[in-house]
Amino acid sequence: MSSLSYEALKVFEGRAAATSGRGKDPVNEPMIRHWCEAMGDTNSAYAGADPTAPPTMLQAWTMGGLSGHQGRSAAYDELFALLDGAGYTSVVATDCEQEYLRALRPGDEITFDAVIESVSERKTTKLGTGHFVTTRMDIRADGEPAGTHRFRILKYAPAQRQQAANAPMPKSKRPRPVINRDNAGFWEGVARHELLIQRCGGCRTLRFPWLPGCNACGSLAWDTVEASGEGTVYSYVVMHHPPFPAFDPPYAVGLIDLAEGVRMVSNVVGVPSDKVRIGQQVRLEFQWVDEELELPVFRAVEGMTGTAEGGA
Ligand code: ZN
């Protein structure tokens, strides 16, 4: 479809995506308060007489709001025009990574620059074929480095829909879990058939899913507790639509109250999906969903004497 050479894209690496950007408002308490309300974050560090801003707000201070971004570079527009012209007209945000160098406090004036860090070779994904573009924004507070925000998009040509309709798609695999430094221990546990819950080293609060720090006290120290595997269905949905390729609807996705007091999202198996109920007792088991991926799921205890295999 395209005669666009990778070399023509590669030259954009290192070029500015935004220069001399300036936060519309200095770091301020009302925005911190709104953010914490929306996130349900009650950490005392973000309230009171001398609050800091939640680190994850980093990018929020750079946003242009409804009136749009400021300082977007000609190079960035040029790269997008080139990709659009080659037929990569769709865009999807894929992921972001942040690094924090300094706490932000009310009154800090935010400035930033952004650079096109990398443009990938042509990749084919489920959505279509295109190029990943990674932008790195360096954010300063009162002139000091405050953090970096890396943002990746896929600029792509949507896959032909007729193709999906005419040719039967090969059976897709379940989406792979994203395993990173913060949750690797959980998946190592799964491989040993242990469901590991994190326990704060400061205040002993249990937490799930895995996080680098404690929401209750902020401590970064933690160890783990192995879940007994007993639980009850706190809530659930039965998925009928849309049909994701790797799943066979209808199937039940439950929010499971583990006996230890934390909740986990997982499949409820062992009963037909229309027989899943709030309050139902379930028990952990590990299920191979394909030849490479084993997941913790919860089997309805009531269903265990029957022979019916659930719809999950
Ligand atoms: Zn804690």
Side-chain angles (χ1 to χ4, degrees):
M1 143 204 345
S2 107
S3 56
L4 185 60
S5 77
Y6 184 43
E7 288 67 38
L9 297 173
K10 198 85 179 149
V11 298
F12 284 89
E13 291 188 350
R15 291 179 67 180
T19 44
S20 307
R22 178 166 283 278
K24 286 209 159 176
D25 298 289
V27 176
N28 63 82
E29 289 181 55
M31 273 176 68
I32 295 173
R33 182 168 51 76
H34 288 305
W35 175 283
C36 289
E37 279 182 17
M39 294 293 171
D41 194 331
T42 56
N43 193 314
S44 59
Y46 309 141
D50 182 26
T52 62
T56 46
M57 282 188 80
L58 186 65
Q59 189 216 3
W61 306 113
T62 71
M63 291 175 101
L66 289 177
S67 53
H69 294 283
Q70 38 172 352
R72 191 162 121 162
S73 76
Y76 199 75
D77 289 339
E78 205 184 311
L79 173 60
F80 265 56
L82 203 57
L83 290 164
D84 281 332
Y88 305 121
T89 51
S90 295
V91 64
V92 62
T94 59
D95 61 292
C96 107
E97 288 169 34
Q98 295 187 332
E99 208 175 335
Y100 312 118
L101 302 170
R102 168 198 189 283
L104 297 179
R105 293 205 148 75
D108 286 339
E109 294 282 352
I110 300 299
T111 51
F112 57 92
D113 291 288
V115 64
I116 300 166
E117 192 171 62
S118 66
V119 184
S120 79
E121 290 185 51
R122 199 154 66 111
K123 304 274 186 188
T124 297
T125 72
K126 265 281 186 307
L127 289 172
T129 294
H131 296 268
F132 289 94
V133 178
T134 305
T135 305
R136 189 190 75 240
M137 184 186 276
D138 294 302
I139 297 160
R140 295 173 300 274
D142 289 344
E144 294 171 26
T148 61
H149 173 76
R150 262 193 192 78
F151 186 63
R152 191 168 296 119
I153 57 148
L154 175 65
K155 193 83 176 109
Y156 68 101
Q160 298 288 326
R161 293 209 175 256
Q162 308 89 297
Q163 197 185 338
N166 296 345
M169 295 270 283
K171 174 71 178 167
S172 299
K173 289 183 171 174
R174 290 275 197 109
R176 306 288 104 172
V178 175
I179 301 176
N180 56 36
R181 280 185 301 188
D182 295 329
N183 69 6
F186 171 77
W187 292 102
E188 287 159 15
V190 168
R192 297 191 302 268
H193 287 192
E194 294 170 2
L195 182 67
L196 298 178
I197 301 167
Q198 270 183 313
R199 177 172 56 189
C200 173
C203 69
R204 316 303 279 172
T205 301
L206 298 180
R207 63 176 184 264
F208 196 93
W210 283 38
L211 291 168
C214 175
N215 271 341
C217 78
S219 170
L220 298 177
W222 53 270
D223 62 2
T224 58
V225 174
E226 186 183 351
S228 66
E230 301 300 323
T232 53
V233 176
Y234 176 77
S235 184
Y236 68 96
V237 292
V238 176
M239 286 296 295
H240 295 272
H241 196 82
F244 295 108
F247 295 82
D248 296 316
Y251 56 93
V253 179
L255 181 58
I256 310 300
D257 249 334
L258 300 184
E260 289 74 20
V262 294
R263 289 184 188 142
M264 170 176 181
V265 174
S266 180
N267 285 117
V268 179
V269 304
V271 285
S273 56
D274 63 356
K275 294 288 187 284
V276 175
R277 292 289 176 266
I278 287 172
Q280 197 161 35
Q281 264 190 285
V282 290
R283 189 170 298 148
L284 172 70
E285 66 179 44
F286 292 86
Q287 191 176 78
W288 287 98
V289 296
D290 56 49
E291 56 277 15
E292 287 148 19
L293 183 62
E294 195 176 21
L295 295 176
V297 299
F298 287 84
R299 182 168 291 271
V301 173
E302 289 94 314
M304 290 184 85
T305 51
T307 52
E309 193 58 27

